[in-house]
Coordinates of all heavy atoms in Angstrom, one line a residue:
T202 N 124.3 38.7 253.7 CA 124.2 37.4 253.1 C 122.9 36.8 253.4 O 122.2 36.2 252.5 CB 125.4 36.5 253.6 OG1 126.6 37.1 253.3 CG2 125.3 35.1 252.9
K203 N 122.5 36.8 254.7 CA 121.2 36.3 255.1 C 120.0 37.0 254.4 O 119.0 36.4 254.0 CB 121.0 36.5 256.6 CG 121.9 35.5 257.4 CD 121.6 35.7 258.9 CE 122.4 34.8 259.8 NZ 122.1 34.9 261.2
A204 N 120.2 38.3 254.2 CA 119.2 39.1 253.5 C 119.0 38.7 252.0 O 117.9 38.6 251.5 CB 119.5 40.6 253.6
V205 N 120.1 38.4 251.3 CA 120.1 37.9 249.9 C 119.4 36.6 249.8 O 118.6 36.3 249.0 CB 121.5 37.9 249.4 CG1 121.5 37.2 248.0 CG2 122.1 39.3 249.3
I206 N 119.8 35.7 250.8 CA 119.1 34.4 250.8 C 117.6 34.5 251.0 O 116.8 33.8 250.4 CB 119.8 33.5 251.9 CG1 121.3 33.2 251.5 CG2 119.0 32.1 252.0 CD1 122.0 32.5 252.6
F207 N 117.3 35.4 252.0 CA 115.9 35.6 252.3 C 115.1 36.1 251.1 O 114.0 35.7 250.8 CB 115.8 36.7 253.4 CG 114.4 37.1 253.9 CD1 113.4 36.1 253.8 CD2 114.2 38.3 254.3 CE1 112.1 36.5 254.3 CE2 112.9 38.7 254.7 CZ 111.9 37.8 254.7
F208 N 115.7 37.0 250.3 CA 115.1 37.6 249.1 C 114.9 36.5 248.1 O 113.8 36.4 247.5 CB 116.0 38.7 248.5 CG 115.5 39.1 247.1 CD1 114.4 39.9 247.0 CD2 116.2 38.7 246.0 CE1 114.0 40.3 245.7 CE2 115.8 39.0 244.7 CZ 114.7 39.9 244.6
I209 N 115.9 35.6 247.9 CA 115.7 34.5 246.9 C 114.6 33.6 247.3 O 113.8 33.2 246.5 CB 117.1 33.8 246.8 CG1 118.2 34.7 246.2 CG2 116.9 32.5 245.9 CD1 119.5 34.1 246.1
I210 N 114.6 33.2 248.6 CA 113.6 32.3 249.1 C 112.2 32.9 248.9 O 111.2 32.2 248.4 CB 113.8 31.9 250.6 CG1 115.1 31.1 250.7 CG2 112.6 31.2 251.1 CD1 115.5 30.9 252.1
L211 N 112.0 34.2 249.3 CA 110.8 34.9 249.2 C 110.3 35.0 247.7 O 109.1 34.8 247.4 CB 110.9 36.2 249.8 CG 109.6 37.1 249.8 CD1 108.5 36.4 250.5 CD2 109.8 38.4 250.5
A212 N 111.2 35.2 246.8 CA 110.9 35.3 245.4 C 110.4 34.0 244.8 O 109.4 33.9 244.1 CB 112.1 35.8 244.6
I213 N 111.1 32.9 245.2 CA 110.7 31.6 244.7 C 109.3 31.2 245.3 O 108.5 30.7 244.5 CB 111.8 30.5 245.2 CG1 113.1 30.8 244.5 CG2 111.3 29.1 244.9 CD1 114.2 29.9 244.9
V214 N 109.1 31.4 246.6 CA 107.8 31.1 247.2 C 106.7 31.9 246.5 O 105.6 31.4 246.2 CB 107.9 31.3 248.7 CG1 106.5 31.1 249.3 CG2 108.8 30.3 249.3
S215 N 106.9 33.2 246.4 CA 105.9 34.1 245.8 C 105.5 33.7 244.4 O 104.4 33.6 244.0 CB 106.4 35.5 245.9 OG 106.7 35.9 247.2
L216 N 106.6 33.5 243.6 CA 106.3 33.1 242.2 C 105.6 31.8 242.0 O 104.7 31.6 241.2 CB 107.6 33.1 241.4 CG 108.3 34.4 241.2 CD1 109.7 34.2 240.5 CD2 107.5 35.3 240.3
T217 N 106.0 30.8 242.9 CA 105.3 29.5 242.9 C 103.8 29.7 243.3 O 103.0 29.1 242.7 CB 106.0 28.6 243.9 OG1 107.4 28.4 243.6 CG2 105.3 27.2 243.9
Q218 N 103.6 30.5 244.3 CA 102.2 30.7 244.8 C 101.4 31.3 243.6 O 100.2 30.9 243.4 CB 102.2 31.6 246.0 CG 100.8 31.9 246.5 CD 100.2 33.2 246.0 OE1 100.9 34.2 245.9 NE2 99.0 33.2 245.6

Side-chain angles (χ1 to χ4, degrees):
T202 302
K203 289 182 176 181
V205 171
I206 296 174
F207 180 34
F208 169 77
I209 294 173
I210 292 173
L211 181 58
I213 293 173
V214 172
S215 301
L216 291 174
T217 302
Q218 178 267 317

